[in-house]
């Protein structure tokens, strides 16, 4: 059975949202707030942190009006625009389409948390001994980063194919 393009888009976005929300529910239920649990030693740890800001807590100290604008209204407008763009633009290659779906799904999942809980639950942390270290993040953040990576890769790939043609 072949899915229609729009069904594929909706399914990818919904899967992203569902996986993120399921992991956040599990973390809220089973991980003590503020705790740190080693998964792979100190390299990969599990936490339960409520982030009132955006990526890496940016914007958490904004006044309520600016938070509403920059962390809810603007993201909702951008996510709506991107969703309309990927549905209407039938020329997008498959990698770009998947990338945009990951970004939209992750974005919607985090916006949902801000609306329902007033914050976003973050729980993963990676520390490769000072060589590479992340802030505390969640599956929606991973989805957005994967989407951006796919868009960058697709852009380079498409540019190279155009130059070779």
């Amino acid at each position: 059975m072949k899915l229609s393009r729009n069904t594929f888009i909706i399914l990818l976005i919904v899967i992203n949202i569902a996986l993120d929300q399921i992991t956040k529910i599990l973390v809220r239920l089973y991980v003590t707030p503020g705790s740190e649990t080693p998964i792979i030693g100190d390299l990969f740890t599990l936490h339960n942190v409520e982030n009132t800001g955006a990526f890496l807590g940016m914007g958490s100290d904004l006044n309520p009006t600016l938070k509403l604008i920059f962390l809810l209204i603007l993201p909702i407008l951008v996510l709506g625009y991107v969703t309309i763009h990927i549905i209407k633009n039938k020329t997008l290659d498959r990698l770009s389409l998947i990338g945009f779906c990951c970004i939209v799904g992750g974005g919607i999942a985090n916006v949902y948390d801000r609306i329902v809980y007033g914050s976003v639950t973050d729980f993963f942390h990676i520390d490769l001994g000072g060589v590479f270290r992340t802030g505390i993040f969640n599956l929606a953040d991973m989805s957005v980063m994967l989407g951006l990576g796919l868009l960058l890769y697709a852009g380079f790939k498409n540019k190279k194919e155009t130059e070779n043609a």
Side-chain angles (χ1 to χ4, degrees), residues 47-121:
H47 302 255
N48 180 348
V49 177
E50 291 303 318
N51 179 357
T52 59
F55 182 69
L56 300 177
M58 289 187 290
S60 57
D61 55 351
L62 290 173
N63 73 49
T65 304
L66 289 177
K67 263 190 185 179
L68 179 68
I69 293 167
F70 289 113
L71 300 180
L72 277 178
I73 296 171
L74 192 58
I76 289 169
L77 292 174
V78 170
L79 291 167
Y81 174 79
V82 172
T83 303
I84 291 166
H85 171 72
I86 62 177
I87 289 171
K88 285 186 171 183
N89 185 350
K90 309 286 190 215
T91 64
L92 281 174
D93 62 277
R94 196 155 190 83
L95 274 180
S96 296
L97 185 65
I98 293 168
F100 278 124
C101 288
C102 287
I103 291 168
V104 170
I108 289 172
N110 278 343
V111 166
Y112 173 83
D113 282 359
R114 285 191 196 103
I115 292 169
V116 173
Y117 302 105
S119 61
V120 174
T121 303

Side-chain angles (χ1 to χ4, degrees), residues 55-56 122 124-126 133-137:
F55 182 69
L56 300 177
D122 289 332
F124 286 135
H125 181 254
I126 299 170
R133 183 181 177 151
T134 66
I136 300 172
F137 59 95

